[in-house]
Amino acid sequence: MAGFLTKAFGFNPEKHAVRTELVAGLTTFLTMAYILAVNPAIFSALPGMPGGSVFTATALAAIIATLVMAFWAKKPLALAPGMGLNAFFVYTVCLTMGHTWQFALTAVLIEGLIFVVLTLTRVRTWILDAIPLSLKNAIGAGIGLFIAFIGLQHAGLVVGSEATLVTLGDVTKGTALLSVIGMVISCTLVMLHVRGGILIGILATAVIGMFIKDPATGEAITHFNGIMAMPDSLAPTAFQFEWHRIFSWDMLIVVFTFLFIDIFDTMGTVIGTAQKAGFVDEKGHIQDAEKVFMADAIGTIAGACMGTSTTTTYVESSAGVGAGGRTGLTAFAVAACFALALFFSPLFLAIPGAATAPSLIIVGMMMMQPVTRIDWTNYRESIPAFLTLIMMPLTYSISDGILIGVISYVVLYALTGKAKEISPTMWVLAVLFVLRYIFV
């Protein structure tokens, strides 16, 4: 058995425990299972894309991509159709630009095919290796701030404000109260080094949510609408492509935007989680990066064929890494959970965001350690690094944080007489990033 696990998932019996890897996978799944509810809700704005079909496509895309990650890359990372990319698909490409969802699916398919080429030619790894170590450390910490911010939002602890953009939510009732209870439980378990403490915290908080009411609806925050349901057919959305416009200018713009967002969202997530999991060497190179990137390329192609938006590596994978996941067995467990979710969707979707939010906040804290490796007295390094990590949560975008960090790095080095120290790759990236903000 140990031999199979080693060959299949990169599992080392001397370093890894099966139980830890499986618990880590379940933890990651529970923190990202919201996509099974959110994705169909977003696509419901488009006539002809039934929510049930989109649910099935979402789960299957996640399963396929995550299995590639498990068996090929052997890393504890999970994938699914990406948040932000699904909104761009629906609200920008279809509802604002006026294109059909078939046009958008065709763009996603083309993007996935380009991703395969870029990965096989190692272009994505080349770009990754070109980013300075100070920015890589900032990216890891920035993602920590970003997912903690997401957790605070899901918790209802940070809410919108017309006066100050954000403010503290009402922690005395509803979702925010449940999240505070969950934080106390999860933090206590983590501090006591309880194995699987993050997962136990999620499940315990979900149970407590059955006894706390949402003030807006008067219903319990955790409630069940059944246990099992057969998955809906993919027939309405599968292979619905629009080939006659693949050489149009609009298609070029849409494909380029999908590529741009996904490349740097995935790159940032991989850097952050790889640092936490110990997959980054002393020079900042990530082990088997091209294999990791191939998983989202294949997942994107599969998702487009079934009827959903771009598949990407999820930042919530950090929750599983924080729970001890280090091998492809963690990813396999996530894929298995998505497979179960196809038939037990009412049960899985009953876990509220308030229950998973504490895990995101805690893992966000755990990911802040790389900032200690940044030389804060060297302003050429520290200013771009700071802009990178602070802009991720404030722009709600991993890619924008990376883009602004790279641009500022090149500009500051050039303005202070150090232009010769900038690699050609960084110059090219900086120019492309500036053009992206001008024209896209």
Side-chain angles (χ1 to χ4, degrees):
M1 183 64 175
F4 168 77
L5 293 177
T6 300
K7 185 177 180 180
F9 305 116
F11 183 90
N12 185 342
E14 296 181 0
K15 296 181 179 179
H16 311 124
V18 172
R19 181 180 180 278
T20 299
E21 298 291 317
L22 297 179
V23 168
L26 181 56
T27 300
T28 293
F29 172 75
L30 290 175
T31 61
M32 64 184 288
Y34 64 84
I35 191 61
L36 293 171
V38 173
N39 217 38
I42 289 177
F43 278 88
S44 65
L46 302 177
M49 295 198 81
S53 297
V54 174
F55 176 94
T56 303
T58 300
L60 290 176
I63 292 167
I64 292 170
T66 306
L67 285 177
V68 173
M69 183 69 74
F71 289 104
W72 178 241
K74 306 183 192 307
K75 295 292 184 287
L77 308 178
L79 302 93
M83 291 294 294
L85 289 159
N86 52 7
F88 176 74
F89 183 113
V90 173
Y91 299 113
T92 300
V93 178
C94 296
L95 299 182
T96 300
M97 298 176 68
H99 298 301
T100 64
W101 56 265
Q102 291 89 344
F103 174 96
L105 282 179
T106 308
V108 173
L109 176 66
I110 295 172
E111 173 207 2
L113 294 171
I114 293 174
F115 268 159
V116 170
V117 174
L118 294 179
T119 302
L120 290 175
T121 56
R122 297 181 62 86
V123 170
R124 295 173 78 179
T125 305
W126 171 63
I127 294 173
L128 179 65
D129 289 342
I131 296 177
L133 186 57
S134 61
L135 292 187
K136 288 179 179 175
N137 287 326
I139 289 169
I143 291 175
L145 290 177
F146 182 51
I147 66 171
F149 185 51
I150 293 173
L152 290 168
Q153 286 184 301
H154 288 178
L157 297 174
V158 171
V159 297
S161 167
E162 292 185 4
T164 60
L165 292 182
V166 293
T167 189
L168 181 67
D170 185 352
V171 299
T172 64
K173 57 187 177 183
T175 297
L177 174 60
L178 177 60
S179 297
V180 169
I181 295 172
M183 278 293 294
V184 172
I185 295 172
S186 297
C187 288
T188 301
L189 293 172
V190 168
M191 288 187 292
L192 292 175
H193 303 288
V194 175
R195 188 180 297 273
I198 292 178
L199 175 59
I200 295 172
I202 291 172
L203 299 177
T205 306
V207 172
I208 294 171
M210 298 173 63
F211 306 98
I212 297 179
K213 292 185 177 181
D214 183 341
T217 63
E219 298 180 352
I221 295 175
T222 303
H223 58 276
F224 297 93
N225 294 314
I227 297 177
M228 295 188 67
M230 291 298 294
D232 285 60
S233 171
L234 290 172
T237 58
F239 299 99
Q240 299 294 315
F241 299 120
E242 196 172 281
W243 299 114
H244 67 279
R245 300 185 62 193
I246 60 173
F247 297 113
S248 66
W249 178 251
D250 281 353
M251 181 64 77
L252 177 64
I253 292 175
V254 171
V255 169
F256 177 79
T257 304
F258 272 132
L259 274 170
F260 217 85
I261 296 172
D262 193 23
I263 281 177
F264 292 98
D265 267 8
T266 298
M267 188 176 295
T269 299
V270 170
I271 290 173
T273 52
Q275 285 177 327
K276 178 64 182 173
F279 301 139
V280 182
D281 63 23
E282 63 278 1
K283 295 182 179 179
H285 297 152
I286 295 174
Q287 301 171 11
D288 301 320
E290 67 279 0
K291 293 182 179 180
V292 173
F293 291 142
M294 184 59 76
D296 79 326
I298 293 175
T300 294
I301 293 172
C305 290
M306 291 181 288
T308 189
S309 52
T310 303
T311 298
T312 187
T313 306
Y314 260 58
V315 69
E316 285 84 356
S317 300
S318 302
V321 171
R326 293 294 183 272
T327 75
L329 184 57
T330 293
F332 179 79
V334 177
C337 287
F338 272 108
L340 284 173
L342 278 170
F343 303 94
F344 292 88
S345 55
L347 184 62
F348 281 109
L349 296 177
I351 297 176
T356 59
S359 67
L360 297 181
I361 297 169
I362 293 171
V363 170
M365 175 275 297
M366 293 176 175
M367 295 182 68
M368 293 303 296
Q369 186 176 1
V371 299
T372 62
R373 298 193 287 270
I374 298 172
D375 183 1
W376 293 103
T377 63
N378 181 348
Y379 295 129
R380 292 191 190 94
E381 298 285 333
S382 60
I383 291 175
F386 177 75
L387 290 174
T388 298
L389 70 89
I390 198 65
M391 292 304 288
M392 286 188 188
L394 294 185
T395 62
Y396 216 78
S397 169
I398 294 172
S399 58
D400 279 328
I402 295 174
L403 269 58
I404 292 170
V406 169
I407 293 170
S408 63
Y409 185 95
V410 171
V411 169
L412 291 177
Y413 259 74
L415 291 178
T416 54
K418 301 291 184 179
K420 293 183 179 179
E421 297 183 18
I422 304 171
S423 69
T425 303
M426 284 292 286
W427 276 109
V428 172
L429 290 176
V431 171
L432 289 175
F433 296 169
V434 170
L435 293 176
R436 185 265 184 190
Y437 284 118
I438 293 174
F439 295 110
V440 179

